[in-house]
Amino acid sequence: MCGNNMSVPLLTDAVTVPGGERETAAVIFLHGLGDSGHGWAEALSAIKLPHVKYICPHAPRIPVTLNMKMVMPAWFDLMGLSPDAPEDEAGIKKASDSIKSIIEHEVKNGIPANRIVLGGFSQGGALSLYTALTCQHKLAGIVGLSCWLPLHKTFPQASCGVNKDISILQCHGEADPMIPVRFGTLTSEKLKTVVTPTKVQFKSYSGVMHNTSQEEMMAVKDFLEKVIPKV
C-alpha cells in the first residue's frame, strides 16, 4: 500500500526523474504560477545526481485574483506581488499540507526526511519555504528561486522549530521585473530570524530576469551535492 500514489493526489500525475542508481535522496520541486512540472523536470535532469529522485508535481488549476480571476495552475491565490499585499492564508496552508503529504509518502517509501530537499521557483519557491519551515520532519534543505516567504509576518512564530538548522539556498535575478530582487533580499533577512543565519545563502545574478540561468542551476547542483551527498 505504501507504494500507492493514489492517496497523494499531487503524485498521481507528477513528473518524476528517477536516479540512475539506488535512490537515497529526493528533491521535490514546485513550479511557478501558470506553469507545470515538465520544464523543471527537464532543467533538473540537466544537473541530476545519480542517487537522487526528482519529483515535479503540477499545481491544481484555480482562479487567480492577480490575473483577473483567470483559471490557471497555481499553488494558491495571489492578490499582489508586494510584501504588504493581502495573502490567501487558507490556500497557502492547504497547498502546504498537500506538499507535506508528498514528503510523508517519500518517508514511508524509505527516503529519510533528512535526505529530502524542498525547492521551487517563484510561487513554487514561496510554497517550498513556507512548507519546510512549518514541517514536522527535519529536512535536508530548501532551494528558493526568485521567490518570497508567504505569510512572512507570522514568522518566526509560525515556524515549528524542527528545521531551525536547515540549509537554505536562495537565488534571484537582479533584473527581475515581477518579484524585485529587493523582495528577495528582504526575504533572506527574514529567513535569518527563523533559522540559523549562517545557513541562509542568498545569491543574485546580474541581467537575469524572472527566470533562471545556467550559472544559477550550477549553484543549485553544488548545493544539492552538499546537503544530500551520495551515501
Side-chain angles (χ1 to χ4, degrees), residues 70-91:
M70 233 161 72
V71 173
M72 60 182 61
W75 298 108
F76 48 86
D77 192 13
L78 279 175
M79 286 75 157
L81 290 174
S82 66
D84 49 3
E87 293 183 272
D88 173 19
E89 184 170 352

Side-chain angles (χ1 to χ4, degrees), residues 8-176:
V8 185
L10 284 179
L11 273 180
T12 48
D13 63 350
V15 190
T16 302
V17 179
E21 50 194 56
R22 192 172 71 90
E23 294 164 351
T24 61
V27 172
I28 301 164
F29 199 93
L30 312 176
H31 64 74
L33 182 69
D35 199 4
S36 76
H38 293 290
W40 286 101
E42 211 170 293
L44 292 164
S45 293
I47 59 159
K48 79 174 189 176
L49 304 174
H51 60 283
V52 179
K53 166 163 114 178
Y54 300 85
I55 302 164
C56 301
H58 308 302
R61 294 174 61 82
I62 60 166
V64 175
T65 304
L66 185 67
N67 289 346
M68 301 182 299
K69 290 279 184 199
M70 233 161 72
V71 173
M72 60 182 61
W75 298 108
F76 48 86
D77 192 13
L78 279 175
M79 286 75 157
L81 290 174
S82 66
D84 49 3
E87 293 183 272
D88 173 19
E89 184 170 352
I92 291 164
K93 289 180 172 170
K94 183 181 168 198
S96 175
D97 286 343
S98 68
I99 303 307
K100 286 170 185 165
S101 301
I102 299 180
I103 295 169
E104 288 288 348
H105 183 271
E106 291 310 304
V107 170
K108 280 191 187 125
N109 280 295
I111 299 213
N114 66 1
R115 299 277 297 162
I116 296 175
V117 171
L118 208 46
F121 174 79
S122 195
Q123 191 190 41
L127 181 58
S128 68
L129 284 172
Y130 184 85
T131 302
L133 296 176
T134 57
C135 185
Q136 299 294 334
H137 287 288
K138 193 170 168 57
L139 303 172
I142 314 170
V143 174
L145 309 181
S146 311
C147 69
W148 68 95
L149 176 63
L151 307 176
H152 62 94
K153 293 187 181 80
T154 65
F155 286 91
Q157 293 77 4
S159 167
C160 74
V162 175
N163 286 300
K164 185 93 182 82
D165 287 322
I166 197 166
S167 297
I168 302 176
L169 172 66
Q170 227 192 314
C171 299
H172 217 110
E174 289 174 12
D176 191 330

